[in-house]
Structures are given as C-alpha cells and as structure tokens.
Amino acid sequence: MNQLARRLGKTFALVLPVVLVLSGTLAVTRVPWAVSSSDAQVLTASAKSRDQVATEQAAKAPQEALRTRLLAELQQQDPGVALTDLQLAMARQPSLAKYCLSIARSLGRAAVAKYDGSVRRAQAWSRPVCDTAFATGVASVG
C-alpha cells in the first residue's frame, strides 16, 4: 500500500506541472485577430433546421463542416460540449489536426459572443484542447 501511494505521488508530481503549463490561460497574449466568416455562421446556423445544416455540411470541406457543427453546438448547448467534441474529432480524424487551432479559436470568439461579450464567463470553459487556442480566441475579443 505504501509503495502504491509513493508511485501515485511521483506520477502526480510529474504530470501535474505539465497539465498546469498546457492549460495555463494566464499567459495568453492578446492579438487582434480578424473576424472570420465562421463567426457570422454562428448566428445563421441556429436559425436553420438540422436538415439544412446537414445538407450544407456535406458540400463543405471536412474542417469547415466540423467548424460549423461545433459552432452550432456551442450555441445550442455550451462551449464545454463543443470543446469535448472537437477533442474527439481530432482523435477520430487526425488529418484534421492542422485545423484544430483555427477551429478552437473560432469557438473561443463564439463563446464570448454567446455570453454577450463576457470574456470571464467564456474563459471559464477553457481547457487544453489544441493547446490554448480556445483561450486565445476568447482573449482576442476581450
């Protein structure tokens, strides 16, 4: 039992600093990102039926279909659900990994818009998906 406790302690001592560094959102720099067309899609996606959105997504590139779906999900539920689905999508389709930062930033900007410009409320959903890209998106609006 004592050895198990020591092993767990050592594991936490090694893993915890890494997790804290990767999820550290205080070190995010503010950069005035240009507003993308995907932010405008947030408003229109919620007004369309699921069939219309599915038809449009089929015609888009996979990364844009994922972005549109996640932005709609963020509006209907919360940023945590969208970030979890982004993480799952990256695990299922590693070919989309190069778009992860861009999508996560879009989700960050959309979260601020959802909460009427409240950076603090949007930042509360931040997690280490695609490094700190979500937090960067949130900070770029604030």
Side-chain angles (χ1 to χ4, degrees):
M1 183 68 178
N2 198 11
Q3 282 184 331
L4 178 63
R6 282 186 188 165
R7 188 176 296 169
L8 283 173
K10 286 180 181 180
T11 302
F12 282 128
L14 291 173
V15 173
L16 188 59
V18 173
V19 170
L20 291 174
V21 168
L22 290 176
S23 64
T25 56
L26 295 176
V28 176
T29 56
R30 293 178 181 248
V31 179
W33 298 99
V35 178
S36 68
S37 62
S38 62
D39 291 336
Q41 291 173 353
V42 172
L43 299 174
T44 58
S46 61
K48 297 178 183 175
S49 72
R50 289 182 183 245
D51 293 334
Q52 288 173 325
V53 171
T55 303
E56 288 176 6
Q57 286 180 357
K60 292 181 183 178
Q63 70 273 10
E64 290 306 316
L66 176 63
R67 182 189 317 268
T68 302
R69 182 176 62 84
L70 293 175
L71 287 169
E73 204 170 75
L74 183 142
Q75 291 302 312
Q76 293 170 358
Q77 296 179 34
D78 61 59
V81 174
L83 286 171
T84 298
D85 284 351
L86 174 61
Q87 193 168 14
L88 292 172
M90 293 302 119
R92 279 192 309 260
Q93 289 183 289
S95 62
L96 294 176
K98 61 184 172 185
Y99 304 105
C100 189
L101 294 172
S102 171
I103 294 171
R105 273 189 226 117
S106 295
L107 291 174
R109 290 189 296 266
V112 173
K114 177 178 180 162
Y115 296 121
D116 297 323
S118 174
V119 173
R120 176 176 275 173
R121 193 165 172 204
Q123 190 69 38
W125 295 100
S126 188
R127 52 176 83 154
V129 178
C130 308
D131 292 327
T132 56
F134 177 82
T136 302
V138 169
S140 70
V141 176

